[in-house]
Amino acid sequence: MALLEIRKLSKYFGGVAAIDGLDFEANNSEIHGIIGPNGAGKTTLFNVISGIFLPTSGNVIFKGEDITNLPVHWRVKKGIGRTFQLTNLFLDLTVYENVNIGYHKNYKAGLVRQFFHTSAARKDDNICRLRTLELLEFLKISPLKDKLAKNLPYGHQRILAFCIALAAEPTLLMLDEPVAGMNPEETMNMVKLIQKARDKGITILVVEHDMPAVMNLCERITVLDYGKKIAEGSPDEIRENEKVIEAYLGKGE
């Protein structure tokens, strides 16, 4: 069974279809790319899957459950995580503090016990501290743990945003342009980190305009154009697909 199933999904804004009758699946522990020209509907699709937008029609199935109408916070609890095109960080907090906040949903002691710092709250604090340090080590940014987020170079800020998303312990992680603005060395490093996360059993959906990164990173790719799926397959299949070439380059004379 696929981890995520998108069935006949459409999203209209007024009379304009941002997504139009889309079907696709993402399997367990795979990196699945979503590509297409500007305006193809990629970010809208992420917004529907994460619950920011409700679809006009169709269904979102996650782990066999129809979550089409669930609010955002319930989707997060069920294991859907996301990053955004713009890096969202607590700039005046340290790297450690940013990631530790990402573990907030794992607290079980409750606000009252946390306020009075009970033994249950202290236990939660210790677990989250250890998990935060482990994750920083996993992504090889533990030497930066005491640095303020605002003082990090851009590439490290992008890695920190990825780290915060992983702290929510998602089963499905959607990455919206994870290597945007990075130089080739930073891009290759991020590709390796995303692959490490996949190797831990996380299914990853990637929207990205950097085609070399997509082709190196993804096992399967779905191509959108004007909200419709025009192709799907392996990177090699997508490279040679005439519809994909036409969507990106336009029709020849």
Side-chain angles (χ1 to χ4, degrees), residues 6-249:
I6 300 300
R7 298 178 180 170
K8 301 187 184 306
L9 195 71
S10 294
K11 177 61 180 177
Y12 283 78
F13 296 97
V16 178
I19 306 172
D20 191 0
L22 179 63
D23 288 292
F24 88 93
E25 296 181 351
N27 298 317
N28 284 297
S29 301
E30 80 170 357
I31 303 174
H32 191 127
I34 309 291
I35 68 172
N38 289 331
K42 305 180 295 294
T43 297
T44 298
L45 174 62
F46 270 23
N47 285 336
V48 171
I49 295 171
S50 60
I52 294 173
F53 296 156
L54 293 179
T56 304
S57 61
N59 300 90
V60 179
I61 311 296
F62 183 62
K63 298 180 183 177
E65 177 185 354
D66 191 328
I67 63 166
T68 307
N69 296 308
L70 286 184
V72 173
H73 67 278
W74 277 109
R75 300 187 197 213
V76 173
K77 287 184 177 180
K78 288 183 178 295
I80 296 178
R82 173 174 185 183
T83 65
F84 292 83
Q85 292 178 11
L86 298 177
T87 303
N88 294 315
L89 304 173
F90 296 100
L91 294 175
D92 290 317
L93 297 182
T94 67
V95 167
Y96 171 88
E97 289 166 337
N98 269 271
V99 178
N100 193 251
I101 288 171
Y103 276 108
H104 180 267
K105 82 177 188 70
N106 298 308
Y107 278 91
K108 297 179 176 61
L111 291 175
V112 173
R113 291 181 179 179
Q114 288 178 40
F115 180 80
F116 288 105
H117 204 55
T118 65
S119 60
R122 289 195 298 273
K123 181 179 179 181
D124 275 347
D125 285 341
N126 191 50
I127 291 172
C128 288
R129 180 182 65 82
L130 292 175
R131 288 180 176 173
T132 297
L133 294 173
E134 287 171 359
L135 184 54
L136 293 173
E137 181 65 28
F138 178 70
L139 294 184
K140 300 185 183 303
I141 57 171
S142 54
L144 305 175
K145 67 183 179 69
D146 295 322
K147 290 187 175 293
L148 295 180
K150 66 182 179 183
N151 293 332
L152 296 177
Y154 177 76
H156 283 136
Q157 288 188 348
R158 299 291 285 184
I159 293 173
L160 177 56
F162 179 53
C163 193
I164 293 168
L166 288 178
E169 299 182 327
T171 309
L172 171 69
L173 179 56
M174 298 184 291
L175 304 177
D176 200 345
E177 299 193 32
V179 303
M182 290 185 169
N183 63 41
E185 182 179 351
E186 291 169 336
T187 295
M188 184 55 63
N189 184 41
M190 180 62 88
V191 165
K192 291 178 180 178
L193 294 178
I194 294 170
Q195 290 170 333
K196 284 185 69 175
R198 182 274 316 281
D199 292 343
K200 298 285 282 187
I202 301 172
T203 298
I204 298 175
L205 288 182
V206 180
V207 164
E208 183 54 65
H209 288 287
D210 185 323
M211 287 300 101
V214 169
M215 295 300 172
N216 287 327
L217 180 62
C218 299
E219 287 118 0
R220 282 201 307 147
I221 299 170
T222 298
V223 186
L224 303 183
D225 192 25
Y226 293 105
K228 292 180 177 290
K229 181 170 72 175
I230 62 170
E232 188 170 81
S234 68
D236 287 340
E237 291 169 332
I238 295 303
R239 282 190 189 97
E240 303 299 325
N241 189 287
E242 291 295 331
K243 289 185 178 179
V244 176
I245 295 170
E246 181 179 311
Y248 275 95
L249 301 179

